[in-house]
Amino acid sequence: MLPADLRQVHPDTSVVFVRAGYWNDVERLLELAPAVSWVHVNMTGVDHLPVDRMESAGVILTTCRGVLDLAIAEFVLGSVLLWSKGLLRSALDTRERRTDYREPKANSELNALIIGTGNIGSECARVFRQAGFGRIVGIRRTPVPLPDFDDVASVEVMPIQISQHDVVVSCLPATSATDGLIGSAVLRQLRKESVFINVGRGSTVDHMALAEEMNARAGTVAVLDVTEPEPLPMDHPLWDCSNVVISPHMSGDTVGRHDAFAALFLENLRRYCSGDELLNRVGQPPESA
């Protein structure tokens, strides 16, 4: 279903598959089809949806969690290499017809901090491990041992952890607890030579503070696949930072993703018809399998 098709919803509809990323017209949907019992969205985050309203109406909500994890992790790895291999500097120098010699960093020399150890953060750790990175540490509200992480630390020690790592990746979702979590005091701990990558949500980072810190760190690169708002205003100072790369929230949007989305929905539809528990149900922990 796309937003323009909402008026075509049959009043007896019980299942809705939403392909439009940021659709949130739940009230209109419930008005047109009061029998709806399950909505599946092609998104991982649901901060744009009135989840409480859907729950109170008895509507099950499922997401595409997991489908884009590997693609996003590959994007993150590419973002690290953009910095560690000096590719951004080379691209900028090429425009100036310059060829200043530099020494790139080996993957084994890189220590990574991943803020948020959910599906995407864990996949980043796995990809980093396969790429031969050095130490990999995660930041998690409740620290527990996790595969592919050498250590998992609490949010309280995040600033000191950032100062000890040259690769910092944020995979945080948008919640009241994460809003502005990566602010000035945290960003000030970035190393003079480091890379900061955000593939979580833009609301978790203070972008004005980030611009200030990036201007103070010529050897640092920031790669932002998400911002707040999206897109950033044209007069935002981040646009003037030559060491900042902004992509249009597309890190996981591979060409073949729609086939994977459809496959997940069809599996859930089979489960729905059989009366089995649905995959990726919001409010339910992921299946152990």
Side-chain angles (χ1 to χ4, degrees):
M1 185 190 74
L2 296 172
D5 302 327
L6 192 59
R7 63 183 179 277
Q8 300 176 14
V9 172
H10 192 279
D12 294 334
T13 297
S14 59
V15 175
V16 176
F17 177 23
V18 182
R19 294 182 58 203
Y22 285 97
W23 172 86
N24 62 2
D25 197 1
V26 171
E27 290 297 340
R28 180 62 172 157
L29 174 62
L30 294 176
E31 177 185 337
L32 293 172
V36 167
S37 60
W38 168 36
V39 172
H40 179 87
V41 294
N42 276 357
M43 290 281 286
T44 298
V46 294
D47 48 288
H48 62 293
L49 288 169
V51 176
D52 291 343
R53 173 69 178 96
M54 298 175 77
E55 184 177 346
S56 67
V59 177
I60 296 171
L61 175 62
T62 59
T63 72
C64 70
R65 186 181 66 235
V67 171
L68 304 179
D69 293 352
L70 177 56
I72 295 174
E74 291 172 342
F75 177 94
V76 169
L77 177 60
S79 300
V80 173
L81 299 178
L82 184 74
W83 165 74
S84 64
K85 303 306 181 184
L87 295 174
L88 177 58
R89 184 70 263 163
S90 293
L92 295 172
D93 283 355
T94 298
R95 294 176 179 270
E96 301 295 327
R97 292 174 169 81
R98 297 174 56 183
T99 53
D100 292 340
Y101 177 81
R102 300 179 309 283
E103 294 178 326
K105 302 177 186 298
N107 286 2
S108 60
E109 299 170 345
L110 302 177
N111 295 320
L113 181 70
I114 300 175
I115 305 171
T117 61
N119 283 37
I120 294 173
S122 294
E123 188 67 9
C124 288
R126 188 183 71 82
V127 168
F128 285 173
R129 183 69 68 203
Q130 289 182 334
F133 278 39
R135 185 170 172 80
I136 303 171
V137 174
I139 293 292
R140 180 184 173 95
R141 183 171 49 193
T142 305
V144 294
L146 293 172
D148 297 309
F149 288 93
D150 294 297
D151 191 17
V152 179
S154 68
V155 174
E156 287 72 24
V157 298
M158 181 169 60
I160 187 64
Q161 287 290 337
I162 285 179
S163 71
Q164 296 172 356
H165 292 80
D166 37 33
V167 175
V168 179
V169 183
S170 177
C171 306
L172 293 172
T175 68
S176 57
T178 63
D179 187 27
L181 182 64
I182 303 177
S184 179
V186 173
L187 293 168
R188 200 175 299 131
Q189 301 304 314
L190 285 170
R191 289 184 165 185
K192 292 297 183 182
E193 291 191 2
S194 60
V195 58
F196 173 76
I197 303 159
N198 189 9
V199 289
R201 282 293 185 267
S203 61
T204 64
V205 176
D206 182 336
H207 288 80
M208 296 300 290
L210 179 61
E212 182 177 345
E213 297 304 328
M214 294 307 295
N215 281 323
R217 292 167 172 77
T220 294
V221 170
V223 179
L224 310 175
D225 189 50
V226 290
T227 59
E228 180 66 29
E230 291 181 1
L232 280 177
M234 294 301 293
D235 60 349
H236 197 286
L238 276 173
W239 291 115
D240 296 322
C241 298
S242 62
N243 54 348
V244 172
V245 177
I246 299 175
S247 59
H249 204 154
M250 39 63 75
S251 59
D253 292 351
T254 57
V255 174
R257 70 190 184 282
H258 294 292
D259 290 340
F261 287 154
L264 173 60
F265 173 72
L266 290 174
E267 169 58 21
N268 258 350
L269 183 61
R270 181 194 67 76
R271 290 171 175 244
Y272 179 85
C273 294
S274 301
D276 297 331
E277 184 63 38
L278 302 184
L279 299 172
N280 293 354
R281 181 171 176 174
V282 174
Q284 297 274 342
E287 285 196 351
S288 59

